[in-house]
Amino acid sequence: MGLIHALRGFIKSFLVVLLWSKCEGRESEFNYVTCGSLVKLLNTRHNVRLHSHDVKYGSGSGQQSVTGVESADDANSYWRIRGKPNGTCQRGVPIQCGQAIRITHMTTGRNLHTHHFSSPLSNNQEVSAFGENGEGDDLDVWKVQCDGSIWERDEAVRFKHVGTDAFLTVTGEQYGHPIRGQREVHGMGTANHNNYWKAMEGVFIQPSQEPLRHNHEEF
């Protein structure tokens, strides 16, 4: 099974690179995060990107772990922005501030998720990746909190969990083996400087046009 997961991850990563190879590589004038976009999300306080992998928590829910990594070029840090279950999120349409979304891990197809389990290091609220092939449950839904009306690509935003009111947060705790140096990602009930995130590298979908590459990353 491990070989199958690794092969799937390689194929998905290859397809992303192939997609980018068709783009012009210029900075887009389209400055919004849109439905269907594939992005890396940077915690601006701790300078780590939201990350997951097929490694389960050894405590709490036992679901797939979610962490923060310093590396900018890890394929396991790509997440797709999607609409909530049974909601409308038309491909290429800008995400509104306050809109409910799902954030789906590219290589494993599981959704960013939180629930009332304690996180392993800080004893805050555990954040995991949950579901299969992009389908989980109501605890996969987050609201984008931003200052204007639309989520801008260069803007630091917060993600507030709809089911528990927790904010997606990093406070700096580091794991040991087997994911040594990766940071704990957890849910926290208070809005503060530890729960700001910014869209970085990615494929940003425009309505009726080919996706445009964000030029933070080179291949």
Side-chain angles (χ1 to χ4, degrees):
M1 290 297 293
L3 179 61
I4 293 173
H5 282 299
L7 183 59
R8 286 176 177 170
F10 172 80
I11 291 171
K12 288 181 179 179
S13 299
F14 173 77
L15 290 174
V16 170
V17 174
L18 184 64
L19 182 61
W20 270 340
S21 70
K22 297 180 180 179
C23 300
E24 296 180 14
R26 69 183 188 277
E27 182 70 17
S28 172
E29 294 180 358
F30 192 77
N31 294 318
Y32 308 114
V33 178
T34 56
C35 191
S37 291
L38 187 69
V39 301
K40 291 183 179 180
L41 296 168
L42 177 76
N43 182 277
T44 58
R45 171 67 174 176
H46 295 278
N47 200 36
V48 293
R49 285 162 174 78
L50 189 68
H51 180 88
S52 192
H53 36 228
D54 197 16
V55 176
K56 305 295 192 295
Y57 285 119
S59 61
S61 70
Q63 293 174 5
Q64 182 173 304
S65 58
V66 172
T67 64
V69 297
E70 293 180 350
S71 173
D73 56 4
D74 193 320
N76 278 322
S77 300
Y78 285 111
W79 300 81
R80 187 172 300 281
I81 307 302
R82 306 169 60 218
K84 65 180 182 179
N86 302 316
T88 300
C89 191
Q90 186 177 346
R91 177 182 170 88
V93 173
I95 299 295
Q96 304 290 316
C97 296
Q99 183 172 340
I101 62 171
R102 286 177 291 179
I103 303 172
T104 303
H105 190 237
M106 182 189 76
T107 54
T108 63
R110 296 189 173 105
N111 297 321
L112 189 68
H113 180 97
T114 191
H115 39 214
H116 292 299
F117 287 93
S118 294
S119 61
L121 300 183
S122 67
N123 204 37
N124 285 299
Q125 187 167 299
E126 181 192 274
V127 170
S128 65
F130 176 74
E132 295 292 337
N133 298 317
E135 298 305 321
D137 63 22
D138 290 343
L139 293 178
D140 300 340
V141 182
W142 303 76
K143 280 191 176 181
V144 181
Q145 289 194 345
C146 42
D147 291 335
S149 59
I150 294 175
W151 179 5
E152 297 185 8
R153 279 167 40 179
D154 293 330
E155 178 183 9
V157 304
R158 290 189 175 103
F159 300 105
K160 187 174 184 179
H161 189 242
V162 172
T164 66
D165 290 332
F167 293 93
L168 187 68
T169 303
V170 175
T171 49
E173 297 83 4
Q174 294 192 30
Y175 287 103
H177 182 77
I179 51 175
R180 186 175 304 278
Q182 296 186 24
R183 309 296 177 86
E184 181 184 86
V185 174
H186 53 253
M188 182 175 284
T190 56
N192 57 56
H193 55 275
N194 292 306
N195 36 53
Y196 276 115
W197 301 83
K198 186 177 177 181
M200 300 297 287
E201 305 83 3
V203 178
F204 294 83
I205 305 299
Q206 296 192 59
S208 304
Q209 295 184 18
E210 289 190 5
L212 287 175
R213 166 186 156 196
H214 199 301
N215 67 354
H216 280 264
E217 181 168 303
E218 298 295 335
F219 283 89

